[in-house]
Amino acid sequence: MDQTNFLPDSMTAPKRRFALSALNQRRWGNFRANKRAFWSLVILGTLYVVSLFAEFIANDRPIIVNYQGAYYFPIGNFYAETTFGGDFRTEAQYTDPVVQCLIRAGGSDFCFDDPAEATAQAETGIVDGAEITPGWMVWPPIPYSYDTVNDIGRAAPSPPDDRHLLGTDDTARDVLARVIYGFRLSISFAIVVTVLSSVIGVAAGAVQGYFGGVLDLLFQRVIELWNSVPSIYIIIIISSMVAMNFWLLVFLMTLFGWTGLVGVVRAEFLRALTFLPFIITGVIGSLAALDFLGFGLPSSAPSLGELTLQAKNNLQAPWLGFSAFFTFAIMLSLLVFIFEGVRDAFDPRKTFK
């Protein structure tokens, strides 16, 4: 006799991996019911995922190079100019007309004499009387990286045109490329600092709440002393002594930011979720403020705060200010809308109604 017919449904039904509990399903339903929060999450998530591939969207290196029938992928790989028939062992400058001619003309020496004519002849398959294998390149939609200094033929900063949709900054770098990379940098920086600060803060708060007594009292006094330290001034002093970089700034921001959740976790764990919006937006604001003051990331980094500083120093170039303002406004507004939905989703009055 088949004994499985007598087993309860809970034992015969296949278990689903990563299935949400009934409580979390109701929370997710509440979040989705908030259309503004849900679509803000979709928009921000899409923008961030797209920005993760910024090197394939805005770069001064081609995505694919076909040279003499062989394929090369310059993004993420080093190819010397000699690879394409050039003279130098340094990395090929793909925006150089000679290098572009060498790739298209199969390494013909005629490119050194007249690259424009050699490039035109390459389309026929014969260059300077010799048969060649024509090459080609596939470029990103924006053929400039965030640190590419462009030859714009006039004074910088230059207004928007068909080559630079948001214009250039005061060093002739493409503003749109810097906005794309700067958006990725700001969100990534905020995520890393928030996760590290939350892990440390939750652990410290849990230890205090669990053991209590003398340990809790001593920990509270240490946190009060630590909170009294002027973190911004400490970061400014350190940046004047050593060269600042992404991970050093992450370490310093985490070092002074982990105490924000300790008191909340010590009292109530779920209520700590309502503080995450303040931490993330505060981290983004702090990064922008430090970069604006010149004590954050290097000026060559694609920072939105540095773009704001350029807007302040170049009032005759309003496109710099508009680009920085709308990027900050859209990014922070989407974050606020998302966390409004998260707050409502975890509200017990709405979860258990």
Side-chain angles (χ1 to χ4, degrees), residues 123-139:
E123 298 178 359
T124 65
I126 299 176
V127 177
D128 199 24
E131 186 175 353
I132 56 96
T133 302
W136 46 265
M137 295 179 289
V138 176
W139 287 87

Side-chain angles (χ1 to χ4, degrees), residues 146-157:
Y146 66 89
D147 57 353
T148 303
V149 178
N150 302 283
D151 183 10
I152 57 179
R154 51 182 165 178

